[in-house]
Amino acid sequence: MLATYLEASRDLLETDFGAALAVCRIIGAKVSTAGRATGQSTAIPAWRRRIEERIAKAKALIGRLICFRSGNNTPRIVRTVRMAYARTNVSLSQQDITQKLTERIDDLKQRIAAWRKRIRRYTERSTRFNQNRLFQSDQKRLYESLERPMVSGTGPAPNQADTVAFWRGLWSEPINHSEGPWAEVVASQCASITPMDPVIITPDDVAEVVRSVLNWKSAGLDGLHHYWLKGFVVCHTVLARQFKRLSTRSRSQSSSLLGSPIWFLKTRVPQTRANTAPSRLYRPYTRH
């Protein structure tokens, strides 16, 4: 499948995401269009949802009982209190009804505390289990999660036009420098240096680099780990050709940097960062 698909691959973006799609088909995973997966499920377990519903109902009943104890005798409050004491020997007209209400309120508060403790206990157990499993597969990601909590980004998305304009002003505008005498000395010393030969990237070079990295090292934007790149040998020739094309672009062209895919020019942004200025959000790879 990859051999046929890669014949029409034009850049690294198509090659990378094509390999990721192949992985999803091999392992039977669903392809998500909502962006990169975080590795953590946001669905609330059914048992926790049931307990939270019990807590909400108990808190609502406590509020009605307190209102009735304070003298609020509206039909809605009275009906709720009668339903709470249904099938019991407690009557709303008896003398010690205030004491019965207080006892019932305290009982509900203790139940709420027990339910919350149960949620906390199960959550801590689930966290320990996930951390132990992550330690076996990806220790680096585990240590990163311990250093800073995962916070969903709520700020505005960066503007691509502002980002391109910011870096074009740094890389494309000619600047006249006033060099000192030392520049001429360095230039004369470097005149006899033989220029470096053009960079030649072969499929063997790509395979050697892929073999030297960890299988489950942090993946890129496509979520594809190196474990799969080691097995997709047919990708190595395409990757070598595309990396060579990127590395041989002329430095004199103003679009040598900005002509690259935007995803290739940026690094990950901490999700807790509030500043969305282009200089804080994107950092391109160096030319050297």
Side-chain angles (χ1 to χ4, degrees):
M1 180 180 65
L2 280 176
T4 304
Y5 177 81
L6 293 178
E7 291 295 332
S9 177
R10 296 170 296 178
D11 53 26
L12 286 172
L13 186 64
E14 292 186 359
T15 302
D16 218 15
F17 281 86
L21 181 60
V23 172
C24 294
R25 293 181 179 180
I26 291 174
I27 65 178
K30 294 182 179 180
V31 180
S32 174
T33 59
R36 182 184 173 191
T38 60
Q40 296 181 354
S41 176
T42 58
I44 301 177
W47 62 266
R48 179 168 181 172
R49 192 162 53 246
R50 289 193 297 267
I51 294 178
E52 290 178 349
E53 292 176 356
R54 296 177 190 173
I55 293 176
K57 292 180 180 178
K59 293 173 67 175
L61 181 56
I62 289 176
R64 301 289 177 83
L65 295 177
I66 292 177
C67 291
F68 183 79
R69 188 178 60 180
S70 302
N72 189 344
N73 295 324
T74 58
R76 184 178 180 182
I77 297 297
V78 174
R79 183 171 61 253
T80 304
V81 175
R82 285 179 178 175
M83 292 177 59
Y85 285 102
R87 299 180 182 179
T88 62
N89 297 326
V90 178
S91 174
L92 301 184
S93 60
Q94 64 187 38
Q95 298 296 329
D96 59 344
I97 185 61
T98 302
Q99 180 180 355
K100 296 294 184 181
L101 291 172
T102 304
E103 293 176 355
R104 185 62 181 276
I105 292 173
D106 293 340
D107 178 68
L108 291 174
K109 289 182 178 180
Q110 292 177 9
R111 291 188 180 186
I112 292 176
W115 288 332
R116 288 177 174 172
K117 186 176 181 180
R118 182 181 301 178
I119 292 177
R120 184 170 60 254
R121 184 172 65 252
Y122 278 103
T123 302
E124 292 176 353
R125 178 185 177 276
S126 177
T127 302
R128 290 195 300 268
F129 176 79
N130 293 332
Q131 289 179 350
N132 290 336
R133 185 172 58 180
L134 186 60
F135 180 81
Q136 299 296 331
S137 60
D138 193 344
Q139 298 181 12
K140 179 180 178 180
R141 206 170 80 186
L142 171 63
Y143 295 141
E144 290 179 351
S145 64
L146 294 177
E147 291 176 359
R148 60 176 183 271
M150 296 295 293
V151 180
S152 299
T154 57
N159 186 283
Q160 181 174 345
D162 295 341
T163 304
V164 174
F166 175 82
W167 288 110
R168 180 175 283 119
L170 294 180
W171 291 80
S172 302
E173 297 295 334
I175 300 177
N176 297 324
H177 298 280
S178 58
E179 304 291 355
W182 61 270
E184 298 179 359
V185 176
V186 174
S188 60
Q189 293 176 352
C190 297
S192 59
I193 298 178
T194 304
M196 185 181 68
D197 296 332
V199 177
I200 299 176
I201 301 177
T202 64
D204 294 336
D205 297 331
V206 176
E208 183 180 356
V209 173
V210 172
R211 282 196 302 267
S212 63
V213 297
L214 299 177
N215 287 339
W216 306 110
K217 189 176 177 64
S218 298
L221 298 177
D222 56 0
L224 186 67
H225 292 86
H226 294 102
Y227 169 83
W228 297 101
L229 291 179
K230 292 181 179 180
F232 292 161
V233 182
V234 68
C235 292
H236 297 171
T237 302
V238 181
L239 289 174
R241 182 178 69 250
Q242 294 171 349
F243 274 118
K244 182 180 179 180
R245 185 169 68 249
L246 285 176
S247 63
T248 55
R249 285 185 175 179
S250 174
R251 295 186 181 182
S252 61
Q253 296 177 353
S254 60
S255 61
S256 61
L257 176 66
L258 299 175
S260 301
I262 188 64
W263 63 271
F264 192 72
L265 306 180
K266 66 181 180 180
T267 57
R268 294 184 185 177
V269 181
Q271 295 178 337
T272 56
R273 180 173 296 172
N275 191 348
T276 58
S279 59
R280 300 295 302 276
L281 287 175
Y282 294 109
R283 175 177 59 83
Y285 292 102
T286 177
R287 292 186 180 184
H288 304 286

